[in-house]
Amino acid sequence: MSGNIQLLSDTLAAAKAEGRAALIAYLPAGFPTVDGGIAAIKAAFDGGADIVEVGLPHSDPVLDGPVIQTADDIALRGGVKIADVMRTVRETHAATGKPVLVMTYWNPIDRYGVERFTAELAEAGGAGCILPDLPVQEAGLWREHAEKHGLATVFVVAPSSKDARLAEITKVGTGFVYAASLMGVTGTRASVGAQAQDLVERTRATTDTPVCVGLGVSNAQQAAEVARFADGVIVGSAFVKGMLDAPDDAAGVEAVRVLAGELAKGVRGQA
């Protein structure tokens, strides 16, 4: 069975045709429970997200800040497994028909087996993977299997990336380029800043692949700011924080729906 890289590309192209950026939400699998995580992702789509990244909880994250680390810890203590991540992808894609990616560090895939992971993700209806710690020069095996199974390979670029390095990354990445708006870990910020726009412009000079910005966006005004220069706006910590701060799981799901609605207005310039 082939994965949904084409659905991902079509979704980003449709947003561009509407004259707006796509809204991409991130939520970890298994948080607060597997069923609760599935409900939250459906709520993000209901609220207006175009694409969702499902986080594969990991005990040693390098990109995730304290909010997402807290959620990952809850999921890991709850016993979340890769099978639960695949179930999350399968059920949310089946319920919505929207593109669902997995964001994961390399070690869990390496231990699970690349062929097994890509085959199962494609079978679940997944659109691809975001791999923040997999160097391009070491990605050959992953790329081979991802391409075979119709999955996008999304790499992360940072403000520190030199132009030659950007070209090296964008030459082999597919789906979209994840542009980290600043140096550091995930988390909400008071402002996203000019660094992100400069990175998007430098990245676009090397590729026609859509460039989506993450790290720091937490409200509709920031989403509108980033949407003026990026193809997609990625929001994670703000969704997770809303769930952590909620008095119960149902309120957490509703907080996700409400925030997605506000951010969706932001990317459409309606905030």
Side-chain angles (χ1 to χ4, degrees):
M1 182 172 176
S2 182
N4 274 310
I5 185 173
Q6 190 60 52
L7 176 63
L8 174 64
S9 297
D10 291 348
T11 301
L12 288 162
K16 185 176 183 179
E18 292 175 15
R20 66 176 180 88
L23 174 60
I24 305 174
Y26 166 96
L27 286 159
F31 167 71
T33 61
V34 177
D35 287 340
I38 290 169
I41 292 167
K42 290 178 180 177
F45 278 129
D46 287 345
D50 299 289
I51 299 161
V52 167
E53 304 171 4
V54 176
L56 194 160
H58 188 48
S59 57
D60 187 27
V62 295
L63 186 68
D64 298 310
V67 170
I68 291 174
Q69 284 188 38
T70 298
D72 278 4
D73 185 56
I74 290 167
L76 290 167
R77 284 192 279 112
V80 70
K81 302 285 192 294
I82 287 180
D84 299 313
V85 177
M86 297 300 178
R87 180 188 152 211
T88 299
V89 172
R90 179 181 296 105
E91 294 193 12
T92 53
H93 171 66
T96 63
K98 302 285 183 66
V100 182
L101 300 103
V102 169
M103 185 165 185
T104 179
Y105 298 98
W106 180 245
N107 183 258
I109 295 177
D110 192 38
R111 290 176 63 92
Y112 197 72
V114 177
E115 168 61 25
R116 180 184 177 195
F117 189 94
T118 52
E120 290 184 7
L121 182 56
E123 188 275 329
C129 255
I130 300 157
L131 301 159
D133 66 340
L134 179 63
V136 168
Q137 60 270 26
E138 296 176 22
L141 180 64
W142 166 266
R143 286 172 49 216
E144 174 191 337
H145 288 290
E147 186 174 346
K148 180 170 84 172
H149 291 290
L151 298 169
T153 298
V154 179
F155 291 114
V156 178
V157 298
S160 60
S161 302
K162 305 298 185 189
D163 290 352
R165 180 64 173 166
L166 290 175
E168 186 181 2
I169 292 169
T170 60
K171 183 179 179 181
V172 296
T174 54
F176 64 89
V177 182
Y178 187 124
S181 66
L182 39 79
M183 300 302 294
V185 296
T186 59
T188 61
R189 301 293 197 281
S191 65
V192 178
Q195 238 182 356
Q197 185 166 357
D198 175 68
L199 177 59
V200 169
E201 290 172 357
R202 291 195 299 117
T203 304
R204 280 212 180 115
T206 71
T207 183
D208 292 328
T209 304
V211 183
C212 303
V213 170
L215 272 67
V217 178
S218 61
N219 58 49
Q221 288 71 32
Q222 290 173 336
E225 175 193 348
V226 173
R228 284 194 284 271
F229 59 82
D231 298 296
V233 180
I234 303 168
V235 180
S237 295
F239 282 115
V240 175
K241 187 175 188 302
M243 293 179 72
L244 286 169
D245 290 347
D248 54 52
D249 292 356
V253 168
E254 184 57 26
V256 168
R257 191 189 326 274
V258 170
L259 178 59
E262 294 171 356
L263 293 166
K265 287 181 180 177
V267 300
R268 288 168 172 80
Q270 300 167 355

